[in-house]
Amino acid sequence: MPLPAWIAIGLLLVVLVVVGLGALRLRAIAHRVGSFECSARPAGAEQASWSLGIAHYGVGRIDWWRCWSLSLRPARSWRRQDLVIVSRRPVEAPERDLFLVECSYEGMRFELLMSSGAYAGLASWLEAAPPGRRGVVV
């Protein structure tokens, strides 16, 4: 076989391995107990694209991973005591019941797009914070 054919086969194998690892990572994150689909973008940037992701409840924090990444670490982490829901509103979407949730974390505002069930879980998780941390859910 000529050298260009071997190079093409090698590149194809590398691409298949990367795609396979990405799929395994995504499956592992999505199948954890306490994980939910959640897209994110900066607040007030209606023209900005959504970053698809999966959020996961941890002990005292929420970790958020991008869907299209190979990183084993979350792209963002929000501690429960510093995360505040500023507002929420339903989004008209066919076949889905979605909420646009504006949040504040350490002075930075961002928006999350999630299902109504995921929002209910997030609001409950914040309300279940230890005493002295009430009044942060809209």
Side-chain angles (χ1 to χ4, degrees):
M1 225 187 260
L3 184 60
W6 284 110
I7 292 173
I9 291 171
L11 287 175
L12 181 62
L13 286 175
V14 168
V15 168
L16 288 175
V17 167
V18 169
V19 169
L21 289 174
L24 285 173
R25 172 193 165 275
L26 190 58
R27 186 178 193 285
I29 293 169
H31 283 83
R32 291 180 182 172
V33 172
S35 293
F36 58 96
E37 293 179 27
C38 178
S39 298
R41 73 176 180 191
E46 283 77 25
Q47 301 303 322
S49 62
W50 288 99
S51 295
L52 300 176
I54 296 175
H56 175 76
Y57 295 107
V59 177
R61 71 177 193 279
I62 293 178
D63 295 326
W64 183 83
W65 285 269
R66 292 182 189 277
C67 281
W68 310 115
S69 172
L70 292 177
S71 175
L72 298 177
R73 294 185 177 182
R76 296 183 182 107
S77 280
W78 302 297
R79 288 183 312 275
R80 178 189 262 173
Q81 67 265 20
D82 298 325
L83 182 62
V84 177
I85 295 176
V86 177
S87 67
R88 68 159 169 83
R89 66 179 186 266
V91 175
E92 296 295 325
E95 301 178 19
R96 297 214 50 197
D97 189 16
L98 298 175
F99 277 103
L100 178 63
V101 182
E102 185 176 342
C103 299
S104 175
Y105 182 75
E106 295 181 342
M108 189 175 76
R109 290 192 176 219
F110 57 95
E111 295 175 334
L112 300 174
L113 185 65
M114 62 184 71
S115 69
S116 60
Y119 172 73
L122 175 64
S124 297
W125 183 75
L126 287 173
E127 287 174 350
R133 179 76 174 109
R134 302 286 185 240
V136 296
V137 177
V138 176

